[in-house]
């Protein structure tokens, strides 16, 4: 009989003190996690882009995700053309379409947007599964990949580990917005992941984004790029070219059907022919691969005879 009052006291202690303590501790941890999230350098990179843009005269942009951030060079294009290029590609294109388009509006509001004459939009999403496009429309992350939920971005153990060993940290972009390979070690992981969504689905998504980009930069010609990748399966070398052609025709037909006028063209890029051109993934170039891809794209743009582009 004496054990029952003791158990009652333990239950009361748990109910009145332990549970509230755990809940309060968890809330404080989520707040800490949110406020000190750096995304392995993603937050600082975005802030650096904002600073660069304020102090740079720009009339040509590279847009897209990590494929173009690591693998295309605005500096090289600036040297080869009479345009002032800037690479405003963000990891995962800012994680959602809403995030990225809002960011572009914020950075190029008003008259500054009319200075942009050319845009290279290099997006990997038409070459991936449909779920990735769907996530871009329903995702709960901010532009740096920070979750908008009560679930923390990093576990408690991860925070302790990161405080001891900073681990991977993406470097700040240079003054052209290009990735700084001098402060990053490329270690190849992942695998070839060419699993394109059906063009009828990707063309609807792409049209929506191009309309948004054109509304922000009304005087720009947009070159949509199907980006370079390395393929373990040689058949994919043909598949990616055909897919880019099908996507272009589907998008053109959709624009005509919806009476949409977008000033755009499309290029399917050459694939990486060697693994020694890669950084940490099959669609991420290293410094040597970036030069290879940028030079190839430059050549393809000239070959396409883009009248709106003034090259030397």
């Amino acid at each position: 009989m004496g054990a029952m009052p003791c158990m009652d006291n333990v239950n009361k202690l748990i109910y009145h003190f332990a549970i509230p303590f755990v809940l309060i501790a968890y809330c404080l941890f989520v707040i800490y996690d949110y406020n000190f999230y750096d995304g392995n350098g993603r937050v600082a990179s975005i802030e650096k882009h904002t600073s660069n843009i304020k102090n740079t005269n720009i009339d040509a942009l590279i847009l897209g995700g990590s494929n173009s951030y690591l693998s295309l060079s605005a500096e090289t294009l600036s040297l080869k053309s009479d345009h002032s290029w800037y690479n405003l590609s963000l990891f995962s294109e800012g994680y959602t379409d809403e995030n990225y388009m809002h960011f572009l509006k914020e950075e190029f509001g008003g008259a500054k947007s009319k200075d942009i004459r050319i845009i290279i939009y290099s997006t990997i999403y038409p070459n991936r599964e449909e779920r990735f496009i769907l996530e871009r429309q329903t995702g709960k992350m901010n532009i740096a990949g920070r979750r908008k939920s009560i679930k923390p971005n990093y576990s408690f153990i991860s925070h302790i580990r990161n405080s001891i060993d900073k681990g991977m940290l993406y470097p700040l972009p240079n003054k052209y917005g290009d990735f700084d390979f001098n402060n990053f070690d490329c270690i190849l992981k992942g695998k070839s992941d060419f699993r394109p969504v059906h063009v009828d689905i990707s063309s609807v998504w792409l049209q929506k984004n191009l309309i948004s980009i054109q509304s922000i930069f009304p005087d720009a010609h947009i070159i949509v790029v199907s980006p370079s990748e390395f393929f373990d399966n040689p058949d994919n070398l043909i598949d990616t070219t055909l897919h880019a052609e099908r996507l272009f025709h589907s998008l053109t037909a959709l624009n005509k059907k919806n009476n949409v006028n977008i000033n755009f063209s499309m290029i399917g890029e050459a694939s990486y022919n060697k693994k020694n051109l890669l950084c940490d993934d099959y669609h991420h170039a290293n410094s040597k691969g970036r030069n290879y891809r940028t030079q190839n794209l430059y050549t393809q743009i000239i070959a396409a005879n883009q009248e709106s582009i003034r090259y030397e």
Side-chain angles (χ1 to χ4, degrees):
M1 294 294 294
M4 292 301 295
C6 182
M7 289 299 299
D8 288 341
N9 290 335
V10 171
N11 290 337
K12 288 180 181 179
L13 184 64
I14 293 173
Y15 181 79
H16 289 291
F17 295 101
I19 293 177
F21 174 81
V22 171
L23 291 175
I24 292 171
Y26 182 78
C27 289
L28 291 174
F29 174 67
V30 170
I31 293 171
Y32 172 86
D33 174 81
Y34 185 87
N35 288 321
F36 288 91
Y37 173 86
D38 67 352
N40 298 108
R42 287 173 175 84
V43 173
S45 292
I46 292 171
E47 292 172 349
K48 181 63 174 176
H49 281 309
T50 298
S51 175
N52 285 346
I53 290 169
K54 288 179 180 178
N55 301 301
T56 308
N57 293 321
I58 303 166
D59 67 356
L61 287 172
I62 301 171
L63 302 180
S66 57
N67 84 84
S68 47
Y69 182 34
L70 274 76
S71 313
L72 289 176
S73 172
E75 182 174 6
T76 298
L77 290 175
S78 295
L79 292 172
K80 286 184 170 295
S81 71
D82 59 358
H83 289 287
S84 298
W85 286 85
Y86 190 84
N87 192 342
L88 198 53
S89 303
L90 302 181
F91 286 104
S92 300
E93 293 184 35
Y95 291 90
T96 71
D97 297 331
E98 182 181 3
N99 287 344
Y100 199 24
M101 298 308 157
H102 178 74
F103 176 71
L104 295 176
K105 288 179 183 178
E106 288 287 308
E107 298 303 317
F108 288 91
K112 193 170 184 178
S113 65
K114 294 184 179 295
D115 294 335
I116 305 301
R117 314 303 299 178
I118 313 166
I119 292 173
I120 290 174
Y121 179 37
S122 176
T123 179
I124 200 74
Y125 289 98
N127 292 355
R128 296 295 184 264
E129 295 177 89
E130 181 180 359
R131 63 185 177 89
F132 292 107
I133 286 179
L134 294 176
E135 286 173 0
R136 294 196 59 75
Q137 300 170 68
T138 60
K140 302 298 181 183
M141 291 184 174
N142 75 355
I143 196 169
R146 181 165 46 196
R147 289 191 185 97
K148 300 176 182 179
S149 72
I150 61 171
K151 184 179 179 180
N153 295 277
Y154 298 121
S155 68
F156 182 72
I157 298 299
S158 295
H159 276 286
I160 294 176
R161 187 185 301 118
N162 289 339
S163 66
I164 299 172
D165 179 8
K166 295 299 181 182
M168 183 184 69
L169 188 66
Y170 292 112
L172 296 177
N174 68 12
K175 66 179 183 178
Y176 294 92
D178 291 342
F179 191 84
D180 181 9
F181 284 106
N182 292 324
N183 291 298
F184 188 77
D185 294 326
C186 287
I187 301 174
L188 182 60
K189 301 176 182 178
K191 60 182 179 179
S192 181
D193 197 27
F194 181 73
R195 289 177 286 180
V197 63
H198 194 280
V199 292
D200 289 346
I201 296 173
S202 55
S203 60
V204 171
W205 172 79
L206 188 55
Q207 183 192 65
K208 180 182 177 182
N209 274 9
L210 291 179
I211 290 173
S212 297
I213 293 171
Q214 192 83 83
S215 69
I216 301 168
F217 306 102
D219 298 326
H221 175 76
I222 306 169
I223 303 172
V224 181
V225 170
S226 181
S228 298
E229 299 185 61
F230 181 87
F231 298 112
D232 290 316
N233 182 356
D235 292 339
N236 287 149
L237 297 174
I238 300 174
D239 293 342
T240 184
T241 304
L242 292 176
H243 180 66
E245 291 177 1
R246 294 189 188 108
L247 180 57
F248 173 76
H249 292 307
S250 178
L251 181 57
T252 301
L254 184 63
N255 288 342
K256 185 176 180 180
K257 176 183 177 182
N258 295 341
N259 196 26
V260 171
N261 184 24
I262 303 172
N263 182 10
F264 88 104
S265 56
M266 188 163 184
I267 290 178
E269 283 193 280
S271 303
Y272 299 118
N273 56 7
K274 295 178 181 179
K275 279 189 176 181
N276 66 1
L277 298 176
L278 305 179
C279 183
D280 59 346
D281 209 331
Y282 277 44
H283 63 293
H284 291 171
N286 55 27
S287 58
K288 183 178 178 181
R290 177 172 64 185
N291 182 62
Y292 170 87
R293 182 181 165 191
T294 305
Q295 294 283 358
N296 279 345
L297 179 58
Y298 171 74
T299 301
Q300 287 178 279
I301 291 174
I302 293 177
N305 191 26
Q306 302 293 345
E307 295 180 358
S308 60
I309 304 175
R310 308 183 306 278
Y311 283 99
E312 61 185 9

